[in-house]
Amino acid sequence: MSHFVNFQDQVCLVTGAGSESGIGFCTAKLLGSLGAKVALISTTDRIQKRVQELNSLAITARGYQVDLIDRKQTEDVIKAILSDFGRIDVLVNNAGMTQVGESEDFSEFAEMSYEEWDRSIQRNLTLCFNVTRQVLPFMKAARYGRIVNVSSVTGPVVSNPGEASYSAAKAAIIGMSRAIAIEAAKENIMINNVLPGWIATASQTEGEAAGGLNTPVGRGGSPEEVANMIVFLSSKEASYITGQTFIVDGGNTIQEYKGPKELYY
C-alpha cells in the first residue's frame, strides 16, 4: 500500500511525547506507521512505556528522559540521538505548556511574580529555542530538514485571563520561526507552526471541554487531528511551505459570536 507521504529511512524527533493521549505521542505513532524511526523525549520515565507501545507496532523507537529547559541536558541528548540514529530529519517541538509535577499559575498580569513569568517563558519559548538551536546546525549540514512547532491559538490569535506569559511565549515562537525560515530555506529546511485549539487530551479541563462544544464543529478536536497536520508539514512533500501558521481549532477562532447557541447560531 502506497501513501501520499512516507518517512522511510528518516529519523524524527518528537519532544513532549510522554502522555499516552497527547499530541506528541499521537504524532510519533503516525510518523512511525509511515516508516520513520522515532526518538521520543519526555521529562519522566513514562517515555519508556511509549517506546514499548511503538516497538509493539514494529516501529523503531528510543526514549530519552531529559529536562529540555536545561541547556546542557539538551545538548547532550541531541548528541546521543545523533549517535544512536545517525541523523535527525524531522524535529517536532511539542514540549511545553506544563510539566509533570508542576502546577500551572493563572495569576493575572498585575499580580504575576517575576518567577512565574520566567518559568513560563522558559517552558514555552526557551525550551523550543534550546532544542531547535542544537538540531538546526545538523540539518543545515545535511541540507535537509523539517521543523514543526506546536504553538497554540492562545497568544498568536486569542488569549485568556491569567495567560499573559503563556500567550507571549506562544506568539514569540511564531516570530522566531519566521526568522529561521528565511535563514534556512536555501538548505531545504522548512519550519512551520501548528496552533491547536480545544483538543481533548487527558489534561483537558472541564472548561476546555465545554469550549470545544461551542466551536462550529461542535466538539473538541482529537490529538490525532492535530497530528495529521504536523505529519504533513514534516513530510518531504511540504517542500514549499515555510514560516507559516496552521490553526487546528474546528473553526473556533473564525466565529465572532461565542455565546449560547439558542440566542444566535
Side-chain angles (χ1 to χ4, degrees), residues 14-17 22-25 92-97 148-150 170 230:
V14 183
T15 71
I23 292 168
F25 183 59
V92 178
N93 280 310
N94 178 65
M97 191 171 180
V148 182
N149 300 320
V150 181
K170 289 300 190 181
I230 295 171

Side-chain angles (χ1 to χ4, degrees), residues 48-228:
Q48 300 309 331
K49 292 183 179 178
R50 305 290 86 80
V51 169
Q52 291 170 11
E53 291 175 53
L54 295 182
N55 291 162
S56 72
L57 299 171
I59 295 169
T60 300
R62 295 191 69 156
Y64 305 82
Q65 183 181 344
V66 179
D67 179 2
L68 295 171
I69 293 175
D70 185 306
R71 286 178 172 153
K72 180 63 166 60
Q73 289 189 43
T74 304
E75 183 178 347
D76 289 346
V77 77
I78 298 307
K79 287 179 180 177
I81 292 167
L82 288 166
S83 176
D84 291 339
F85 289 97
R87 58 195 294 164
I88 298 173
D89 301 286
V90 173
L91 166 61
V92 178
N93 280 310
N94 178 65
M97 191 171 180
T98 60
Q99 289 186 350
V100 174
E102 285 191 15
S103 60
E104 287 189 83
D105 189 313
F106 292 100
S107 301
E108 292 196 7
F109 188 83
E111 288 80 39
M112 179 182 292
S113 69
Y114 297 143
E115 292 77 16
E116 174 50 31
W117 173 271
D118 291 344
R119 277 197 302 272
S120 186
I121 296 298
Q122 281 188 318
R123 189 165 57 235
N124 294 294
L125 173 62
T126 306
L127 184 155
C128 179
F129 162 80
N130 289 347
V131 182
T132 306
R133 174 62 183 83
Q134 291 301 318
V135 172
L136 188 60
F138 295 98
M139 288 183 169
K140 293 188 78 168
R143 297 189 64 81
Y144 180 86
R146 299 287 183 266
I147 302 171
V148 182
N149 300 320
V150 181
S151 178
S152 174
V153 293
T154 307
V157 185
V158 293
S159 194
N160 296 297
E163 296 194 2
S165 55
Y166 179 82
S167 297
K170 289 300 190 181
I173 285 175
I174 293 172
M176 180 177 70
S177 301
R178 288 173 178 153
I180 296 169
I182 296 167
E183 294 169 357
K186 287 184 173 60
E187 277 83 32
N188 195 24
I189 298 166
M190 307 297 145
I191 178 168
N192 292 288
N193 304 279
V194 173
L195 283 56
W198 302 123
I199 307 301
T201 64
S203 63
Q204 186 181 58
T205 66
E206 183 180 359
E208 291 168 345
L213 297 178
N214 288 314
T215 65
V217 174
R219 62 174 176 82
S222 71
E224 289 82 2
E225 287 172 314
V226 182
N228 289 336

Side-chain angles (χ1 to χ4, degrees), residues 146 190-192 232-233 237-244 246:
R146 299 287 183 266
M190 307 297 145
I191 178 168
N192 292 288
F232 172 68
L233 294 172
E237 285 71 17
S239 53
Y240 204 59
I241 306 169
T242 195
Q244 302 303 311
F246 296 86

